[in-house]
Amino acid sequence: MTARLPLVACYGGTFDPVHNGHLQAALDVCERAGCREVRLIPCHVPPHRAVPAASAAARQAMLELALVGRSQLRVDVRELQRDGPSYTVDTLLSLREEFGEGVALGWVLGADAVAGLNVWRDWQRLPELAHLLILDRPGYPLPERGPVARELAPRLTTVVADLHARPAGRVWCVRQAPLAVSATAVRETLAAGQSAAHLLPLPVWAYIKQQRLYGYENDLGHKAESE
Ligand code: ATP
């Protein structure tokens, strides 16, 4: 019988800001896949999208606030400590070096990110370094043809034990009911002068107000709310 490897899931993102959808997804993955822990890894410079609105320090602070009291979730700042673009392949190489082959690694990503996976640096190496744990996002089915489909299809599994049987190499879809929230929606809500309290963990909402992030200070509605 092969040994059951502990599984560490790594959840990369801009987290600009971290919101309830991220938290629910991380907790869901943790429970359903039987993870030892889930690491939330804020990126420093995202290679394929605009520069984040909040500073790296603020994004890290919000993540730390969001995870208080959730011992199975941890912030991992290795991408913030690295200069230049945050390539996932570099992050996975450094995680693999830290954990060795005795731990299975999972890289969590939303189904929205999967369609464009083939523009990520060295994307075909990613499944060699970690399992891919794919989160449902409404409106984003997995690709059925093209290079990403060809690479991922033979690796697909619905069996959680497969994720613990080897250090990397499988693709598993997290059949969650995703919360209809995104960081873009949070930023737009704030920019429109509305409260985002219902979209965020409360300590994160308090931090945004205190630091006047995402245009919070310019809005009369917000001022009225805090008076
Ligand atoms: P933005 O709206 O700025 O693009 P985002 O909300 O998608 O941000 P990111 O930090 O870019 O958040 O996302 C990190 C990862 O979390 C991505 O793989 C994304 O697909 C996933 N994700 C974001 N929101 C949700 C959600 N509500 N449910 C499940 N996964 C999510």
Side-chain angles (χ1 to χ4, degrees):
M1 208 175 86
T2 37
R4 184 181 192 273
L5 301 177
L7 173 64
V8 173
C10 304
Y11 186 8
T14 318
F15 302 112
D16 187 25
V18 60
H19 54 66
N20 290 338
H22 294 131
L23 278 189
Q24 178 189 283
L27 291 166
D28 241 40
V29 168
C30 192
E31 182 144 333
R32 286 171 194 235
C35 297
R36 187 172 83 184
E37 64 182 72
V38 179
R39 295 200 175 188
L40 285 87
I41 309 182
C43 62
H44 185 202
V45 182
H48 304 297
R49 52 179 287 166
V51 174
S55 68
R59 291 183 292 120
Q60 180 184 343
M62 290 187 279
L63 270 168
E64 277 163 2
L65 286 168
L67 302 195
V68 169
R70 301 179 194 277
S71 55
Q72 67 279 53
L73 309 184
R74 285 176 53 183
V75 187
D76 182 318
V77 294
R78 73 188 63 219
E79 290 192 356
L80 299 184
Q81 290 166 345
R82 224 166 49 215
D83 283 335
S86 306
Y87 292 114
T88 300
V89 66
D90 296 335
T91 306
L92 283 176
L93 283 166
S94 111
L95 284 157
R96 183 52 77 199
E97 196 172 300
E98 176 182 334
F99 285 106
E101 294 294 316
V103 167
L105 291 176
W107 186 259
V108 180
L109 75 171
D112 53 315
V114 175
L117 196 64
N118 57 327
V119 303
W120 294 22
R121 172 171 285 198
D122 291 340
W123 70 279
Q124 276 141 320
R125 289 186 72 191
L126 303 181
E128 292 165 17
L129 293 164
H131 302 301
L132 299 185
L133 312 179
I134 300 175
L135 304 166
D136 270 343
R137 297 294 305 271
Y140 293 96
L142 287 188
E144 286 179 3
R145 54 183 73 85
V148 174
R150 278 197 297 280
E151 184 67 33
L152 301 195
R155 302 177 180 277
L156 278 170
T157 182
T158 54
V159 180
V160 166
D162 289 344
L163 306 175
H164 294 268
R166 47 189 289 191
R170 305 307 300 261
V171 175
W172 182 72
C173 296
V174 188
R175 295 278 168 233
Q176 38 141 245
L179 286 186
V181 43
S182 67
T184 304
V186 172
R187 295 191 301 271
E188 286 175 356
T189 302
L190 283 160
Q194 289 157 10
S195 168
H198 57 299
L199 304 174
L200 303 162
L202 273 180
V204 174
W205 175 231
Y207 183 89
I208 287 173
K209 289 197 288 184
Q210 186 209 12
Q211 300 291 319
R212 300 184 182 281
L213 299 179
Y214 307 113
Y216 177 82
E217 71 180 328
N218 300 324
D219 184 77
L220 286 175
H222 291 143
K223 284 190 182 140
E225 186 196 326
S226 57
E227 276 160 9

